Amino acid sequence: MTTPRPSLTLSSTVLDAPDAAELADFYRRLLGWETVQEEPGWVKLLPPGGGSGLGFQTEKAYVPPAWPAPSASPGDQLMMLHLDFEVTDLETAVAHAVAEGATPADFQPQHDVRVLFDPVGHPFCLFVNEEAPGEPPAISPEWVAEQTREIAEQDRLTVQDAVAPDPSAPAAPPRQAEPDTLT
């Protein structure tokens, strides 16, 4: 006998911060969303016209995540999620985000994506989607081969190597870590 699935609606994604009101104010200015709920240690924003929103809660023990993962030290808080915002003009959107308090990440994984950090260190992405609506284009074998060559040439440390290195592998000399793509 199976139990019926109840109705579930995503209300918001909640981000921890040292000060919920301050981080909510950043996203309110960035997105132009409205504050619909505010109480001590909690703020919720919703987009105009409805939909799921963003919630912010004060967490005094908040620790910003390390991104990209290969730059993390053992015991660092790793990124568990990030927000993606589609924009029509990447350069203008980045300038706006920086003017509101965001910081661009040093590493930018793709030409049509910009990774930034909000004022308390949560990574988020701005991206353009220049494709026509519908199914995303297939990734060509040529593109995969090109990416594979670039990774091999740069001797990148993969996220898998950083998180769970092979204990039987000989110790490698220290090297500069290059992250995998965020989105």
Side-chain angles (χ1 to χ4, degrees):
M1 175 176 203
T2 62
T3 55
R5 182 178 53 195
S7 173
L8 300 171
T9 302
L10 179 63
S11 170
S12 62
T13 299
V14 180
L15 300 175
D16 288 350
D19 185 310
E22 286 181 12
L23 188 58
D25 188 54
F26 164 77
Y27 280 99
R28 182 190 53 73
R29 294 187 324 268
L30 178 72
L31 302 170
W33 291 10
E34 298 176 27
T35 301
V36 296
Q37 184 181 12
E38 188 167 7
E39 54 191 65
W42 173 260
V43 179
K44 183 176 180 180
L45 305 178
L46 285 178
S52 64
L54 289 174
F56 306 89
Q57 68 183 11
T58 298
E59 174 53 66
K60 295 298 181 190
Y62 171 76
V63 176
W67 186 88
S71 67
S73 298
D76 281 353
Q77 173 64 53
L78 297 178
M79 178 185 72
M80 297 206 278
L81 65 88
H82 69 276
L83 303 173
D84 281 350
F85 299 105
E86 184 173 347
V87 300
T88 55
D89 182 324
L90 194 55
E91 187 175 319
T92 300
V94 170
H96 170 67
V98 169
E100 296 301 342
T103 304
D106 290 335
F107 176 74
Q108 296 297 324
Q110 297 159 276
H111 75 283
D112 56 350
V113 174
R114 292 296 174 270
V115 180
L116 297 103
F117 299 103
D118 70 20
V120 299
H122 295 286
F124 67 94
C125 294
L126 302 177
F127 72 96
V128 291
N129 184 357
E130 297 174 353
E131 298 297 323
E135 291 296 313
I139 296 175
S140 73
E142 295 80 18
W143 182 85
V144 172
E146 177 184 336
Q147 296 301 306
T148 303
R149 280 192 303 277
E150 286 181 16
I151 290 169
E153 289 169 6
Q154 295 174 12
D155 193 28
R156 288 186 187 180
L157 177 65
T158 66
V159 172
Q160 181 61 32
D161 289 342
V163 174
D166 180 0
S168 65
R175 58 185 173 178
Q176 180 65 27
E178 293 271 345
D180 289 340
T181 59
L182 182 62
T183 54

